[in-house]
Amino acid sequence: MSNENKNKITVFMAAYNAAPYIATSIESVLRQSYPHFELLIVDDGSTDNTTQIVRSYDDPRIRLIENGENKGLPFTRNVALSEAKGEFMAVLDSDDIAFPNRLETQLQHFLDRSKLAVLGACAYIIDEEGNRTDQKMVPICESEKLHAGLLFYNSFVHSTVMMRTAAFREMGGYPNHPVAQDYGLFSRIALKYEVDNIPEYLGEYRIHDSNITDRKRHLAETQLRAILFYQLDKLLPNTDHIDPDILRAPVIGSKYSPQEYYALYREIILQNRKRKQYPTLELEQILYNNWYMIVMEKGKSKTLPLLLRTPVFNRSHATAKHIRKAFKQSLRYILGIRP
C-alpha cells in the first residue's frame, strides 16, 4: 500500500453500549471494495462488552479510542477532529450497516468534484433484528435544492455521510448540542461549500427503541430552532422580531396569518437575492410552495390576489393549476358558495 493511498478515508464510529450491533457494523466496513481506510472507533464509556468486541478483531486498520467515562455524543464525535488521519471522513453509527461499495462510490464523487464537502446517500431501514422494513430513507438528491432546504430541515442520512476532513475541522467539528449535531454541522458547511446526496442506497439504518425518546424530541425541537436562527442571523439584518414557530410549525393548520407569513417570506427572499446565501430559484420555490398552501387554506375571497403577491409569487414557480384553483376558491367565497 503506497503512502499516497494509505488511510485515504477515515471511517468514524462513535459507540456506547453497542454490543448487540457493533460487530455487524464493523464487518460491513471490513468488507468494503475500497481498501485504503482506517476504522476509528471511539467508545464513550460503555458498560457492556463493546470494547471487548472491538478488540477481538485482529485488523491493523481498526483503531479503538476509549473516553474512559461517558462524555456524550458531541465530545465523542469530535475526537475525530484530532484523530482522523484520512483526507475524507465517512460516518457510520455503531448499529448501522455500510454496503460494500459505499466508500468507493462516495470517494469517486469527491475526486470528480473539488468543491464538494459533504456527500450523503439513501438508506434502507432495518429493525432491531436486522430485517429490512418497507420503509426507506430518501433524502433530497439535488445539490442546490438540498442547500436551500437546509434552512428549514436536515435532509442527510447521517450514517451515509462522507465529508472532507479539512472542512469538518474548519467548522470546529460537531456543535456541542445534545441532539441534531449533524444538522448543525452540515448547515454550517453548506454556507461555504458544496453539499449533496446521491440517489443510491449505500447502507442500512437501524430503528430500535433507544433511537429516540420524548425527551430527545423536545431537545431536538429546541436545537432545531437554534440552528434555524444561526442561519437566519447570517441572512437577515435583524431576527429579534421573528417567532421561530412560524418557520418550524407546519403551515397547514397554522395559527399565523397570511400577512405574517408574507412579511417574513418577503424579507427572506429579498435579503437572499442580495446576499446569495442560498440558491435563489430553489429557496423561492420552497417558500412559494408553502405560500400556496397558506393562501389556499386561509385566503378565502382573497385567495387569488394573495397568491399573486410578489416577490413570493413568481411565474416560474406557479402552475396553471395553482392559479385556476386559487381563482375558483376566491370566486366561491365571493358568491357565498362554501367549499
Side-chain angles (χ1 to χ4, degrees):
M1 184 184 299
S2 70
N3 289 332
E4 180 182 354
N5 286 328
K6 187 177 181 181
N7 294 333
K8 185 81 171 178
I9 298 172
T10 294
V11 181
F12 180 78
M13 186 181 295
Y16 175 70
N17 287 349
Y21 310 112
I22 195 168
T24 303
S25 299
I26 291 172
E27 287 160 18
S28 77
V29 177
L30 298 181
R31 288 195 296 267
Q32 290 296 303
S33 58
Y34 181 81
H36 307 304
F37 65 84
E38 64 165 349
L39 173 54
L40 176 61
I41 302 173
V42 181
D43 180 76
D44 191 26
S46 292
T47 57
D48 63 5
N49 63 330
T50 295
T51 56
Q52 291 93 319
I53 293 172
V54 176
R55 290 195 188 95
S56 71
Y57 288 89
D58 184 20
D59 192 308
R61 295 173 296 181
I62 298 176
R63 278 201 296 148
L64 173 64
I65 295 175
E66 298 180 63
N67 288 345
E69 60 182 6
N70 185 257
K71 296 185 177 181
L73 195 52
F75 178 93
T76 301
R77 284 176 169 168
N78 283 332
V79 170
L81 282 169
S82 58
E83 293 292 339
K85 296 178 180 178
E87 180 182 352
F88 304 95
M89 191 170 79
V91 179
L92 183 67
D93 291 339
S94 58
D95 53 357
D96 296 336
I97 296 169
F99 289 168
N101 65 327
R102 178 190 164 184
L103 298 185
E104 183 176 13
T105 299
Q106 290 183 298
L107 178 60
Q108 190 58 55
H109 281 270
F110 278 99
L111 297 179
D112 292 341
R113 299 164 64 179
S114 61
K115 296 181 180 179
L116 184 64
V118 179
L119 183 68
C122 306
Y124 295 105
I125 293 180
I126 57 176
D127 62 20
E128 291 186 67
E129 305 302 321
N131 301 309
R132 193 174 291 178
T133 71
D134 58 358
Q135 296 177 303
K136 302 173 183 178
M137 303 184 81
V138 184
I140 296 171
C141 295
E142 300 172 37
S143 182
E144 292 195 336
K145 186 177 179 181
L146 168 65
H147 182 190
L150 282 170
L151 178 58
F152 306 100
Y153 44 77
N154 183 15
S155 189
F156 284 102
V157 181
H158 185 245
S159 221
T160 70
V161 164
M162 183 181 285
M163 297 178 274
R164 288 191 191 273
T165 307
F168 171 70
R169 287 181 170 139
E170 181 183 346
M171 299 298 155
Y174 290 92
N176 188 25
H177 303 154
V179 290
Q181 305 99 0
D182 53 342
Y183 182 25
L185 173 62
F186 302 150
S187 62
R188 284 187 288 131
I189 291 177
L191 293 177
K192 186 170 183 180
Y193 297 103
E194 183 181 340
V195 299
D196 206 354
N197 285 304
I198 52 176
E200 297 183 45
Y201 288 86
L202 295 183
E204 292 177 321
Y205 177 85
R206 192 184 305 270
I207 296 289
H208 49 82
D209 289 342
S210 62
N211 281 123
I212 192 160
T213 63
D214 288 340
R215 179 175 179 273
K216 282 185 178 180
R217 288 188 184 93
H218 174 73
L219 290 172
E221 186 56 39
T222 301
Q223 193 52 53
L224 290 172
R225 292 181 183 185
I227 294 168
L228 168 65
F229 270 89
Y230 175 87
Q231 296 180 82
L232 287 177
D233 282 338
K234 300 284 186 182
L235 179 63
L236 305 180
N238 190 315
T239 58
D240 293 343
H241 61 292
I242 297 175
D243 181 346
D245 285 343
I246 196 170
L247 289 175
R248 288 291 310 144
V251 296
I252 299 299
S254 168
K255 65 181 180 180
Y256 301 98
S257 69
Q259 290 74 21
E260 289 173 298
Y261 277 109
Y262 176 79
L264 179 57
Y265 286 4
R266 180 180 184 275
E267 186 177 9
I268 290 173
I269 287 170
L270 294 179
Q271 288 297 324
N272 190 63
R273 287 178 183 176
K274 182 188 302 183
R275 298 170 184 254
K276 308 297 183 185
Q277 183 165 308
Y278 299 95
T280 302
L281 183 67
E282 287 74 14
L283 178 64
E284 293 183 18
Q285 181 71 67
I286 292 170
L287 293 175
Y288 167 76
N289 290 343
N290 286 350
W291 181 238
Y292 173 73
M293 290 188 287
I294 291 162
V295 299
M296 288 301 295
E297 182 186 28
K298 299 175 181 288
K300 299 183 179 180
S301 64
K302 297 180 180 179
T303 298
L304 183 60
L306 280 172
L307 180 67
L308 299 179
R309 291 187 74 178
T310 58
V312 179
F313 174 80
N314 186 312
R315 284 186 175 84
S316 65
H317 301 145
T319 65
K321 182 178 180 181
H322 284 175
I323 296 173
R324 187 168 58 250
K325 289 183 72 173
F327 171 75
K328 287 181 178 179
Q329 179 156 298
S330 292
L331 187 61
R332 281 198 300 268
Y333 274 94
I334 291 170
L335 297 176
I337 305 170
R338 296 295 180 263

